[in-house]
Amino acid sequence: MKIKNSQFKKLVEAFLNEDTRDYEDELILYVKTNKSKLIKLLGVSYQEIKMLTIASMCVAGRESSFGEWAQYKYFYNPIETLISYTGIADPSIGPTQAKYSTATDDKEYADEIGVASPYDLSDDLKAMLSTLGILARNYKKAASLGYSKKRPGNIRASISDKNANKKFKSTGSAALDLALCAYNGDPDKVIVKRKDKDYIPCYGDGCVNNEEGGLTTYHYIREVGNCMRKKSAYYSKF
């Protein structure tokens, strides 16, 4: 498939130019300016949108150091984005590492935030807005299945690996915990009704008995949650 000049220009701008934009402030400004429209499109309250917006920032930080991790910027993302654009596969791309198919699953929302090509996900603002939409869908589905919005998730029925269990620390909301868990996997398999209330499952190499442990969804939730706690003052910016 031939890459259009406009798409190639986006690639060059995203990966080679120095970028001095403050994407976090741009994101907050966008959310404030489009408050009513976002509430309608995402189907969550404005307070929940604030929470999910900050979570989206933290996902960008966790996944790619806000797009500034050198290997991501100059190697992995250009290649994976080209693969996504040509349709060879559907890899996770952009600073928030979202799949283009997932980011555009809600076409009305994708059109609203200007995501019409995999290359759009290389823009930090559009990537974080896409993640906001994905997390909102996951969060709503988790809440509809009885996951608490205000109580932390638990791992009472979890695996026996103490190393993995020690890595878990809730965001403070079981619904958001599960939304983040599903962000790294298949929402249809992760966000399901469970016998144990607010139970957060473990996925990843470290979920088996292993002396050294390994990265799991528990690490991911903890790291995003810690970031959100550090950014708690951001709520006053909205």
Side-chain angles (χ1 to χ4, degrees):
M1 182 183 292
K2 185 177 179 180
I3 300 177
K4 298 177 183 178
N5 288 338
S6 60
Q7 301 293 354
F8 182 73
K9 183 179 178 182
K10 285 183 181 180
L11 178 66
V12 173
E13 289 176 345
F15 304 122
L16 301 182
N17 291 353
E18 288 299 321
D19 195 344
T20 58
R21 290 165 63 187
D22 189 330
Y23 286 103
E24 290 188 342
D25 282 349
E26 281 191 40
L27 178 61
I28 290 172
L29 179 60
Y30 182 95
V31 170
K32 286 171 64 177
T33 304
N34 296 277
K35 172 182 174 180
S36 298
K37 192 171 291 184
L38 288 173
I39 290 172
K40 181 179 179 181
L41 284 171
L42 298 177
V44 292
S45 70
Y46 190 50
Q47 190 63 24
E48 289 169 326
I49 287 175
K50 292 179 187 179
M51 175 187 70
L52 295 168
T53 298
I54 294 172
S56 299
M57 294 177 189
C58 292
V59 167
R62 169 64 179 77
E63 294 286 2
S64 67
S65 296
F66 298 97
E68 292 305 312
W69 180 40
Q71 285 180 297
Y72 155 84
K73 189 174 184 180
Y74 299 114
F75 181 69
Y76 294 116
N77 200 47
I79 293 172
E80 298 293 345
T81 302
L82 178 60
I83 289 171
S84 179
Y85 182 79
T86 56
I88 295 172
D90 187 28
S92 297
I93 56 175
T96 59
Q97 290 292 283
K99 292 184 177 182
Y100 179 66
S101 62
T102 307
T104 55
D105 189 51
D106 183 338
K107 189 176 185 306
E108 185 179 5
Y109 180 71
D111 288 345
E112 177 61 34
I113 63 175
V115 173
S117 159
Y119 285 96
D120 289 320
L121 292 179
S122 292
D123 179 278
D124 286 46
L125 177 61
K126 291 181 180 180
M128 288 190 284
L129 284 169
S130 292
T131 294
L132 169 60
I134 295 167
L135 289 178
R137 292 199 300 273
N138 291 352
Y139 175 81
K140 283 194 302 180
K141 185 176 179 182
S144 73
L145 293 175
Y147 274 79
S148 175
K149 295 180 178 181
K150 298 185 180 298
R151 288 190 308 272
N154 75 78
I155 55 173
R156 284 193 298 269
S158 190
I159 55 174
S160 59
D161 180 11
K162 294 179 181 179
N163 289 318
N165 290 347
K166 286 177 181 177
K167 301 301 181 184
F168 181 77
K169 185 175 182 180
S170 175
T171 60
S173 164
L176 179 56
D177 291 343
L178 197 66
L180 288 167
C181 187
Y183 188 80
N184 277 161
D186 184 347
D188 291 333
K189 293 180 179 178
V190 177
I191 309 177
V192 296
K193 189 77 173 177
R194 292 183 171 86
K195 185 184 298 184
D196 294 282
K197 191 171 182 61
D198 296 332
Y199 166 63
I200 307 301
C202 184
Y203 298 98
D205 293 340
C207 294
V208 296
N209 282 324
N210 184 336
E211 286 288 327
E212 297 179 359
L215 290 178
T216 70
T217 47
Y218 288 176
H219 293 77
Y220 196 84
I221 293 166
R222 182 193 64 185
E223 290 179 20
V224 172
N226 285 344
C227 171
M228 292 178 70
R229 283 181 277 274
K230 289 178 181 178
K231 292 182 182 294
S232 59
Y234 279 40
Y235 282 94
S236 63
K237 292 185 176 185
F238 288 87

